[in-house]
Amino acid sequence: FSLHPYDPLELYKSMLGTQSYASAAMNALGFPNTYTFSKCICEHLLHGENDQNTLIIRPSIVGPSVQEPFEGWAGEKPSTIVAAACLYLKF
């Protein structure tokens, strides 16, 4: 995903500071949440001026919450790990 015309390093610095530049960019680029936005910035920073090949691996398993917003919360839809547990218990 392109961050053009925004600079990934400046976005990162904004996230550490006032966040106004990063917030404006997130809204202008249409990111649905801060997780996907920060992930995209991180990927751009890793690929940026690096002469080495970079491989980004994203785990697909996300488990239920330990504490916040409450113990066991897994979002609006079942996560992969919850679905796997349900299938295991079914068979």
Side-chain angles (χ1 to χ4, degrees), residues 20-68:
S20 59
Y21 180 65
S23 293
M26 186 178 106
N27 290 329
L29 294 169
F31 281 91
N33 55 54
T34 55
Y35 171 75
T36 57
F37 182 58
S38 61
K39 183 174 67 168
C40 184
I41 292 170
C42 180
E43 290 173 0
H44 279 272
L45 291 173
L46 286 173
H47 285 294
E49 299 175 14
N50 191 351
D51 290 337
Q52 297 193 11
N53 292 332
T54 304
L55 175 66
I56 298 172
I57 300 172
R58 296 186 198 119
S60 61
I61 297 176
V62 178
S65 169
V66 173
Q67 186 174 355
E68 297 294 330

